[in-house]
Amino acid sequence: MGRIKKKGEAGNAKNYITRTQAVKKLQISLPDFRKLCIWKGIFPREPRNRKKASKSPTASTTFYYAKDIQFLLHEPLLQKFREQKTLEKKISKALGRGDVGDASRLERNAARPEKTGKPRYTLDNVVRDRYPTFVDALRDLDDCLSMLFLFANLPSTSTVPAKMIARCERLCLEFQHYIIVSRSLRKSFLSIKGIYYQANIQGEDILWLVPYKFNQRVVGDVDFRIMGTFVEFYMTLLGFVNFRLYTSVGLKYPPKFDQTKDNEAAELGAFKLEGNHAGAVSSEPAQLTNGDSAAEPDPKTQAEVNKLIRQMKDAAVEGDQTEAAPETDEPTDAIDKFEPAAPGGDVLPQPTYSGSEPGSLFENCTFYLSRETPRQPLEFILRAFGCKRIGWDSVLGEGAYTTNELDPSITHHIIDRPVVQAVTEEDEGGEDNQTSQKLAPNQRIPGRIYVQPQWVWDSANDEELKRPDEYAPGAQLPPHLSPFVQNTQGAYDPTLPLKDQEPEGEALEDSDEEVDEEEEDSLAVKKPKAAADGMDVDGSDDEEDEADDGFFGGFSEDEKEDEENDDDEDDEEESEELRNQQELEAELSGKPVKQKKVDGRSQKLEAKKKLVQKAKEEADEIERAKGMLSKKKRKLFEQMQYTNNKKSAEDQKLRAKRRKLEKQKARAKA
């Protein structure tokens, strides 16, 4: 006889545990339990049968794996939470007895950060448990950076203390310094939400979002306690990551921080990077020693040893080249091209010759930032792509290469203001305001390139310096496209002309609209002429009365469509009868049939009919093919069709919007 199973010892009842049961089992409060779950990466689960998993008549809403809660029993932070809870109970009892001295003594002895500066707990062990390898930490860095950059721009409140904001800002600036030194930044995009950055660190692509430097308004419907728990963990994680990244490039961590420069809005300029000589990697051959670190070798002997090592390396390289010479092919200037395996596939990125690295794009340039431009993102991108000389107005903060706008070493001037009209002599005696410049309006320094800020982003994304005339002050900028979106075959591409990517049906409809607009314009021109000749354009009073008496509300859309179809059919029948009559007359007389001249409108109607017929045939063919599929495959095919139709509708809207803008531009020019 088999063992009888008892209720609640197997299945969902054993695998899941409710939140209330988990809090009782761990003997901590609900806020501490929430913190612990966030830090350890434990989240609620959904059982298959909630009734069996709840083990109670009342319906529970939140379930966890029982193994996860069992895993939390061995967490060292659990003991810290219990000690803190015990301490708070002792202090409350002492205050209840009226023993204020005992309560203050307990509070002084407690490890409270606002009293002694020592943290109550550290999350170092949690970070090491969640990320066994450094690559795992890099893969989870996207949300970490986005959250810390967000909190670095928030104002200090009771829920978001100023110390947390300062800590987030410092960690973010340290991370930006590593990106600048390693030149790991690859792409950036200006969006409505903020500025997206993408960097490649040790082979991992990291994408994060930085909000704009606006005054942030803290709303009350956001639970900053939950977000603060995430930020507390992310600060510890980014500290670990920054330490590993700095030591990998031979820099000391943390870098020296100048508080006075930071108070003057220096930001990146408030840090001073120092090399870690112990961890720096040298390309020179190691010197020989006899075991005594203090004793130095003879310079002549060391020079001879280095010379022999170089000769041995050169001989080995020459031997490898002579052995591999017969096997290698003749060098050619052509490079391989990647082509899609199937016709109509996605366009693959092609390799190109690159004379310089992307990180040295702005290396030979000296920039000056006008006061209306966003200094922080521009400085970060320019430095990340090799620029070392960036100047700006003194009102933007400290740390500039130069604050003199007339410096002759400046090659590029970034400006984001419209072309200002020249002032008159009467206006020159006015008071100087904040927007006044050292130069007169519209005055340009010879030999300097003036561009708008978008030029920096587009040049960095394309890895080449764009034409400055397209980004001149006051010029209409080209579209700023996201570098993270890959163009697919058949989708809308803003960089291509509209004629090269619109279907034949849309082109015919566009031409019909143009013809209708021309006719409307011609009628609008003729009406004033008729009125000028003395013709009565408006109807008489009797006609208005008759119109009022025989009021008609109009046709519905279905009736209009039916009438249009009937008219088209009648026209087709009449034209066909006329054509048959002409053929009979020509056959009796023995003369050839006279070909009627076909105008452009009739040609377009014929083309439309052919397109409709072709679409109908394709739809019938698809329906016949669907009949041969199984039910499962037919549903999958219908889902694919729905997705494709949805994308094509979006592309059609974008093309219609672009077509309308192009027409408006053409009318404005005319």
Side-chain angles (χ1 to χ4, degrees), residues 578-579 582-583 586 591-599 602:
L578 183 60
R579 195 181 306 113
Q582 290 176 355
E583 289 177 357
K591 296 179 181 180
V593 181
K594 294 181 180 180
Q595 298 292 336
K596 188 178 179 181
K597 292 183 180 180
V598 183
D599 57 349
S602 60

Side-chain angles (χ1 to χ4, degrees), residues 206-217:
I206 299 171
L207 179 69
W208 70 95
L209 176 65
V210 179
Y212 293 110
K213 289 283 184 178
F214 297 146
N215 290 330
Q216 303 292 336
R217 184 168 56 90

Side-chain angles (χ1 to χ4, degrees), residues 163-212:
K163 289 183 179 180
M164 178 183 289
I165 296 172
R167 175 68 175 159
C168 292
E169 186 177 5
R170 184 168 177 176
L171 287 170
C172 293
L173 291 174
E174 290 172 357
F175 179 76
Q176 286 185 344
H177 266 295
Y178 168 77
I179 297 295
I180 293 171
V181 171
S182 62
R183 297 188 178 180
S184 304
L185 191 65
R186 292 295 175 262
K187 297 175 183 178
S188 181
F189 176 62
L190 299 168
S191 70
I192 298 176
K193 296 180 180 179
I195 305 176
Y196 285 93
Y197 297 98
Q198 187 184 53
N200 187 276
I201 301 176
Q202 297 186 9
E204 295 292 335
D205 289 333
I206 299 171
L207 179 69
W208 70 95
L209 176 65
V210 179
Y212 293 110

